[in-house]
Amino acid sequence: MDDSEKIEALSMDGSPIEVGSVVRYLNTGTVGRVTDLTEDEEGIWVLLDSTGLFYKPEVLVITDESELKGEMKERTSVEAAESYMRSYNAENEAGYDIGQVTGGG
């Protein structure tokens, strides 16, 4: 039995949070799957796969698996972001002189 099985993490409404649970961080709406539970001198922490960050369990709520799938669809791949930046840079290299549109002081 590993440490995460021994830790009892309870969500905002008192529901148990376990590795594999899908939870929502209420402050930002971030949804993720719990990959680890840990405990230190500050208390219990829940690690989410979607952000790679630890959260206090009392600021999380258990949510539906469908919300995780919805959030995954909204994410942009690295390739799509790089493609956008290349096209953005190409458009802005069209010879605009930014000094003409900014105020000098």
Side-chain angles (χ1 to χ4, degrees), residues 4 12-13 21 25 37 45 47 54 58 65 70 79 92-93 99:
S4 63
M12 180 179 285
D13 64 358
S21 298
Y25 176 51
L37 301 172
W45 297 92
L47 179 63
F54 284 93
E58 54 271 12
E65 181 91 18
E79 294 82 15
N92 288 322
E93 290 175 0

Side-chain angles (χ1 to χ4, degrees), residues 80-93:
E82 288 173 345
S83 174
Y84 171 78
M85 290 305 293
R86 280 192 298 275
S87 67
Y88 178 81
N89 288 336
E91 289 174 12
N92 288 322
E93 290 175 0

Side-chain angles (χ1 to χ4, degrees), residues 26-42:
L26 290 181
N27 291 342
T28 61
T30 300
V31 177
R33 187 175 305 279
V34 176
T35 58
D36 192 21
L37 301 172
T38 190
E39 189 170 13
D40 65 12
E41 63 278 353
E42 294 182 30

Side-chain angles (χ1 to χ4, degrees), residues 12-27:
M12 180 179 285
D13 64 358
S15 300
I17 297 175
E18 302 170 348
V19 171
S21 298
V22 177
V23 296
R24 174 181 294 281
Y25 176 51
L26 290 181
N27 291 342

